Amino acid sequence: MDDNRYIEYLLEKRIMKRSKNPKSIHKAYSAKYINWITEYLNENQIYEVPMFIICNTLYKLPDTFRIRNNSFFVGDFYLFNYFYDWNYILSDERNHEFLVNLCIKQYIESCYLNEEIDVAYWLCLTSDGLEDYKKEGMYYDDRVMEFLAVRTDIQEEFAMIHEAGHYLLRHIDKEAALEPIREMHDKIQTPLSDQFGYGDSREDLTCLYEECYCDTQAVLYIMSHRDFKGNIGTEECFMLLFKTLLYVYAMRYIDIVCQRSIKITGDYFDYQLWELVYRMGNIYNTLYAGLAEEGAEGAVDTLNITYEKFLDVLQEKMKEVRQIVIYIKESILENKDAFYEEIKVESEDKEQLIREYLNVLD
């Protein structure tokens, strides 16, 4: 398989969405790639950077892969939209209904990506749709969009630098790079086990250490390159970094629920929450160490206050997501007679409705 066909295959698996202004997207992301990924890798003495692929797909998350002697970095515009929707939800308590619609849409996307076509079709039939809800509130207000876009940019930068951190680890001494994360493990593990009651059930923590390393890389890069004298202060930036992982884990949790039984997802939720807060503890320690080294006592106090506030947001919103998603799962099971009646249509008709609902390319 030649490189182009393999790239097309990978993007097809991600399922491409329609884009209103693809030229504008490509222009913006080319700049982001130069200012974020290229600069980050160059600062770490990696000068042969991967080729950049810009897309807009249901998969959302950035990725890196290699074909023979060529490396590629995938930046997905839909991740920005997903982060933006979450920021809109948390910007005003009156937007709670938006969270319900976002969870439903994410559930449908997960079903479609995992070829659960009947479930996705039924949910499309019985749901009003997130896009319709956006038209009713302040979602498209120019001032709101400008305010949230700048903040979402920081979170997207975190996600992309995080992925570049995985790429960096392939070119350096991985064991040496992860050693500081291992040393930090005991400092984070004990208080979190006491606070949340979830012990560490895995003997091999290499994957978790690598995630923490990449989180650390993203935090350090953003904090050293971001000018906080503008509209976004240091405290708000701390909160935005913490919230990024909340958004990613909500996405992963919904994906797991749509594929597994309710019992299994309950166990997964418990462990997932522990792992999420573990990574948050790593981000906190990274920020704390940097501020302490600078002698910024006031900023350390700000960090402590922000972290406590975020833990409240985390527990509240993850609880809401869990309740909403389990309700979706249970509704499908409780309405199985109506469900089986509704899905008695041709597969092509199902596909067409789902693709229209999710705004994906034909």
Side-chain angles (χ1 to χ4, degrees):
M1 183 180 293
D2 62 60
D3 291 2
N4 288 335
R5 290 182 62 190
Y6 184 73
I7 292 170
E8 289 175 3
Y9 168 74
L10 287 176
L11 293 181
E12 184 178 329
K13 287 187 67 176
R14 293 174 74 103
I15 303 182
M16 196 77 70
K17 285 177 61 67
R18 299 188 189 100
S19 300
K20 291 182 179 179
N21 194 340
K23 288 185 179 179
S24 177
I25 292 173
H26 277 71
K27 182 178 180 180
Y29 276 78
S30 295
K32 289 180 178 182
Y33 189 68
I34 293 171
N35 294 331
W36 297 347
I37 308 304
T38 302
E39 185 170 342
Y40 164 74
L41 292 174
N42 287 173
E43 287 182 2
N44 285 279
Q45 288 75 54
I46 304 296
Y47 300 106
E48 293 186 10
V49 299
M51 288 179 274
F52 192 38
I53 299 175
I54 306 166
C55 58
N56 181 21
T57 76
L58 295 184
Y59 188 74
K60 301 182 187 70
L61 296 173
D63 192 16
T64 55
F65 62 91
R66 188 174 181 83
I67 306 175
R68 291 189 283 272
N69 294 322
N70 296 322
S71 295
F72 300 88
F73 187 103
V74 180
D76 201 314
F77 174 64
Y78 195 37
L79 181 65
F80 181 92
N81 286 337
Y82 174 74
F83 285 168
Y84 183 98
D85 287 346
W86 260 106
N87 288 328
Y88 180 76
I89 289 165
L90 296 184
S91 67
D92 194 324
E93 283 299 319
R94 291 173 294 182
N95 295 333
H96 173 78
E97 186 66 24
F98 194 90
L99 176 58
V100 177
N101 284 273
L102 181 60
C103 287
I104 293 172
K105 183 179 182 182
Q106 180 61 40
Y107 199 101
I108 294 171
E109 290 176 359
S110 294
C111 286
Y112 193 57
L113 285 169
N114 292 289
E115 300 183 348
E116 296 285 345
I117 302 301
D118 289 343
V119 176
Y121 175 72
W122 188 78
L123 287 172
C124 288
L125 284 177
T126 56
S127 305
D128 293 334
L130 183 63
E131 298 306 315
D132 291 335
Y133 182 76
K134 289 178 180 179
K135 299 173 184 176
E136 299 174 5
M138 296 289 291
Y139 190 90
Y140 291 113
D141 180 85
D142 289 341
R143 287 174 297 178
V144 171
M145 293 177 68
E146 181 179 357
F147 177 86
L148 295 180
V150 176
R151 285 147 181 81
T152 303
D153 223 33
I154 292 177
Q155 296 170 323
E156 187 181 43
E157 182 177 358
F158 177 96
M160 291 179 70
I161 295 295
H162 174 102
E163 186 59 36
H166 288 294
Y167 180 82
L168 176 65
L169 282 175
R170 300 173 198 167
H171 298 81
I172 61 176
D173 185 338
K174 183 174 179 178
E175 290 302 310
L178 297 185
E179 187 57 34
I181 303 295
R182 292 191 181 92
E183 293 176 356
M184 195 178 290
H185 175 257
D186 290 338
K187 298 178 184 178
I188 300 176
Q189 161 69 19
T190 302
L192 289 188
S193 294
D194 293 343
Q195 184 174 359
F196 288 90
Y198 307 135
D200 182 9
S201 59
R202 293 189 301 185
E203 294 181 4
D204 184 11
L205 290 168
T206 303
C207 289
L208 180 57
Y209 291 154
E210 182 166 337
E211 293 302 312
C212 288
Y213 172 84
C214 295
D215 290 341
T216 297
Q217 291 293 296
V219 169
L220 292 175
Y221 183 84
I222 289 172
M223 296 305 292
S224 64
H225 290 76
R226 180 70 56 174
D227 179 7
F228 299 114
K229 295 179 181 178
N231 294 328
I232 301 179
T234 303
E235 178 180 0
E236 187 177 6
C237 188
F238 292 159
M239 183 64 83
L240 289 170
L241 294 174
F242 291 141
K243 285 179 178 177
T244 305
L245 287 190
L246 166 61
Y247 303 166
V248 171
Y249 270 78
M251 182 197 311
R252 289 176 174 168
Y253 175 69
I254 294 171
D255 190 53
I256 289 294
V257 172
C258 103
Q259 297 179 64
R260 312 279 180 85
S261 70
I262 291 177
K263 163 109 179 30
I264 292 175
T265 55
D267 294 340
Y268 178 82
F269 178 86
D270 290 341
Y271 181 76
Q272 182 200 43
L273 182 60
W274 178 88
E275 186 177 275
L276 169 58
V277 181
Y278 182 94
R279 288 177 65 183
M280 299 314 311
N282 173 69
I283 290 177
Y284 168 84
N285 280 5
T286 300
L287 291 168
Y288 184 93
L291 296 172
E293 185 177 342
E294 295 173 4
E297 295 182 4
V300 169
D301 292 338
T302 298
L303 172 63
N304 290 333
I305 294 170
T306 306
Y307 187 58
E308 290 299 321
K309 288 180 180 177
F310 172 74
L311 290 179
D312 292 337
V313 173
L314 166 68
Q315 295 188 71
E316 176 189 347
K317 292 306 172 185
M318 281 300 288
K319 181 179 179 181
E320 288 183 12
V321 169
R322 186 181 190 183
Q323 290 172 337
I324 293 167
V325 178
I326 294 301
Y327 176 77
I328 295 171
K329 186 88 170 183
E330 290 176 340
S331 295
I332 296 168
L333 298 174
E334 291 171 0
N335 294 279
K336 59 182 179 181
D337 291 338
F339 171 82
Y340 287 117
E341 186 62 32
E342 294 283 5
I343 64 173
K344 290 179 181 178
V345 298
E346 295 294 329
S347 296
E348 290 183 3
D349 294 334
K350 294 177 188 176
E351 285 268 353
Q352 184 62 32
L353 178 65
I354 297 168
R355 296 178 81 87
E356 285 297 325
Y357 186 97
L358 298 179
N359 195 35
V360 299
L361 287 175
D362 296 326

